[in-house]
Amino acid sequence: MTSAMILYMVATASSVHAQLRDPMQPPEFQYSAGDVAQSKYSGYELTSIIIAPGRRVAVINGQSLSKGDSLGNVTVVDIRPAEVLLKRGEEDIVLSLIPVNVKKPVDRQRK
């Protein structure tokens, strides 16, 4: 009886979780896997940017990095609110946290 109850609770929780929506997501936004933090540079995944007075940190591939830090053969050049600039030799790499297609001008006349 106990194992059946646990199995039921796990199955129910998975179903409920699949129906939850991000409250900060725009209403008309259609999410597709890989939209956030994707870049044409495979191997680099930007998951977070922290900006505070005197501190800028980007989490790339699970590592917290600041300006001037290196990750493999790339160096963090700049950390901005929605993107991180990296340098690999002469090549500039931009990792974006938020896809550009999500940002839209506000329709002030819509009610």
Side-chain angles (χ1 to χ4, degrees):
M1 172 89 175
T2 305
S3 60
M5 184 67 103
I6 292 172
L7 182 59
Y8 173 76
M9 291 185 336
V10 169
T12 304
S14 297
S15 173
V16 170
H17 177 68
Q19 297 171 5
L20 293 178
R21 179 176 162 82
D22 180 358
M24 300 305 290
Q25 178 178 313
E28 64 280 346
F29 178 68
Q30 297 295 319
Y31 178 79
S32 63
D35 273 347
V36 178
Q38 286 299 313
S39 132
K40 66 180 182 177
Y41 304 100
S42 62
Y44 302 108
E45 182 181 7
L46 175 62
T47 54
S48 181
I49 295 175
I50 301 166
I51 297 181
R55 182 173 184 219
R56 289 178 179 249
V57 177
V59 179
I60 304 172
N61 294 356
Q63 295 185 28
S64 297
L65 302 167
S66 298
K67 184 176 178 180
D69 290 346
S70 294
L71 177 66
N73 61 349
V74 298
T75 302
V76 177
V77 176
D78 194 13
I79 299 173
R80 299 177 181 167
E83 64 186 15
V84 176
L85 304 177
L86 305 174
K87 187 97 168 164
R88 177 173 44 203
E90 296 298 314
E91 179 184 20
D92 292 327
I93 300 171
V94 178
L95 299 180
S96 296
L97 187 60
I98 302 170
V100 175
N101 61 352
V102 173
K103 298 179 182 180
K104 296 180 184 175
V106 175
D107 183 3
R108 302 264 184 218
Q109 305 208 2
R110 189 175 88 179
K111 292 185 180 185

